[in-house]
Amino acid sequence: MAEGVGNPWLTIVGIGEDGPAGLSAASRDAIAQADWLTGAARHLALLADPGCETACWPVPFADGIAPVLARRGRRVVMLVSGDPFWFGAGSVVTRQLAPHEWVAHPAPSSFALAAARLGWAIEETQCLGLHAAPFQRLRRHLAPGRRVIVTLRDGGAVAALAGYLTGSGFGESALWILEALGGPRERIHQTSAASEAFADIQHPVAVGIEVAGEGAVLPGASGRPDDWFAHDGQITKQPIRALTLSALAPRPGELLWDIGAGSGSIAIEWLLCAASMRALAFEADPSRAARARDNAAALGMDRLRVIEGRVPCTLAGEPIPDAVVIGGGLSEALLVWLWQHLPSGTRLVANAVTLESEALLSQWQRDKGGDLLRIELARAAPIGTRRGWRSNYPIVQWSVTL
């Protein structure tokens, strides 16, 4: 428990499929002294006679928080699966509390138990909680030889997971289906994603994946190929995107505003830098905004929030960013608004392709400083039976710190 004053009234107890036998002495004492105990039905069923009032945690999960908070000051025990703070319920509840109000007693997580059964080094294995998240969260991790352990909502989700892997070109992946780990119902069997043998799978379930197949692998560097993003031509092309991300200089945990987001490619690549990254995309065209959402979902970056409407009016009231990129909608009014409303230290990168936008950036760079870069790219293309250089429109890029 974090340091604080007073005695914790809430105890979060991690419990496994082995029930009371796997609990620590501290966990058993907390349950024995509880005035009120809550948890999922399967967790409550593991305790023969807790000796106090019990309540089954409701669905959706958020509905169970208020009844816990209403009992502040009583001795309350909350039962959760395994480790409450690894894709668990602990952080959802404790963010409502002061540090001294709660204490937690974790049990081995599903990931730890799965790694122990498979003999996989857990620090080299990607672990994902997909019990309440889309399978697309896996997409960036799908590369031959990678190992992934995922938790799923129920046995029926295993077939859906296998279908997603097969549809992504990784049907050859080996799957280990790990049911009710740590308890008397534990079962483990191996199959492949392309198999159809996914009946009679018990909850709780985790799946170990050893990725194999010929599916497309998402590159790790900024400037992913354009064909990873659906677009109508309104997209920052791969080389420019790589230079733009480099100029934005993402740092873990930062928030980006992507103004004139188009396909959302820059915001999505920003999010791909680290799990802690955040991004807001602003797009005036509804069809492009919808496409940006779809692109983000396809690559598992569903945490991207796309805001429809014209800037700068749609910017007001949004969380203050660490960095801003302007890919569309560049105007004098927008730059004035940003300078008036954003704090010093905010990084700004603006791309211009028209003569009018170039002139605007040139003027602002003269007055505010920063770096002005002209980017001219050409690709080899056929000219009759030979080849020549086909130039793209030059891009003028302004990078500045407010």
Side-chain angles (χ1 to χ4, degrees), residues 37-56:
L37 185 145
T38 184
R42 67 183 181 87
H43 293 146
L44 295 175
L46 294 170
L47 303 178
D49 182 14
C52 67
E53 180 187 357
T54 64
C56 186

Side-chain angles (χ1 to χ4, degrees), residues 63-74:
D63 290 351
I65 297 176
V68 171
L69 298 180
R71 290 167 172 79
R72 180 181 264 112
R74 298 179 63 188

Side-chain angles (χ1 to χ4, degrees), residues 278-294:
R278 297 167 296 137
L280 300 179
F282 299 87
E283 175 52 54
D285 185 288
S287 62
R288 288 173 178 164
R291 193 176 293 113
R293 293 188 188 96
D294 291 343

Side-chain angles (χ1 to χ4, degrees), residues 39-271:
R42 67 183 181 87
H43 293 146
L44 295 175
L46 294 170
L47 303 178
D49 182 14
C52 67
E53 180 187 357
T54 64
C56 186
W57 197 280
V59 177
F61 181 86
D63 290 351
I65 297 176
V68 171
L69 298 180
R71 290 167 172 79
R72 180 181 264 112
R74 298 179 63 188
R75 290 173 296 187
V76 175
V77 171
M78 174 183 174
L79 298 179
V80 299
S81 294
D83 188 338
F85 296 96
W86 198 359
F87 297 103
S91 59
V92 179
V93 175
T94 57
R95 69 170 63 113
Q96 315 281 336
L97 305 173
H100 65 274
E101 293 187 272
W102 58 272
V103 66
H105 303 306
S109 68
S110 297
F111 302 110
L113 292 172
R117 301 297 189 271
L118 299 174
W120 292 359
I122 201 165
E123 73 276 8
E124 298 173 0
T125 303
Q126 184 65 44
C127 297
L128 295 174
L130 300 184
H131 43 279
F135 296 137
Q136 286 81 357
R137 295 271 181 94
L138 265 173
R139 193 63 191 85
R140 63 184 302 187
H141 306 293
L142 295 182
R146 290 294 308 275
R147 286 174 168 173
V148 187
I149 297 172
V150 302
T151 56
L152 300 175
R153 68 178 183 274
D154 55 32
V158 177
L161 170 66
Y164 174 75
L165 292 169
T166 301
S168 300
F170 296 97
E172 299 173 28
S173 299
L175 304 185
W176 285 264
I177 302 172
L178 308 118
E179 307 169 52
L181 289 176
R185 298 183 299 121
E186 178 176 311
R187 295 190 306 188
I188 301 173
H189 70 275
Q190 182 181 355
T191 183
S192 72
S195 168
E196 297 183 359
F198 299 112
D200 185 32
I201 296 174
Q202 304 177 84
H203 181 71
V205 60
V207 178
I209 307 168
E210 194 165 63
V211 181
E214 301 297 326
V217 175
L218 184 68
S222 296
R224 276 82 174 181
D226 294 345
D227 56 13
W228 282 96
F229 307 97
H231 61 89
D232 60 359
Q234 185 73 12
I235 182 174
T236 303
K237 299 299 191 295
Q238 177 183 6
I240 305 300
R241 198 179 327 118
L243 291 169
T244 300
L245 266 295
S246 178
L248 286 168
R251 302 166 190 169
E254 289 190 325
L255 171 65
L256 173 73
W257 280 4
D258 183 355
I259 298 175
S263 68
S265 59
I266 290 179
I268 293 168
E269 291 222 39
W270 170 278
L271 292 173

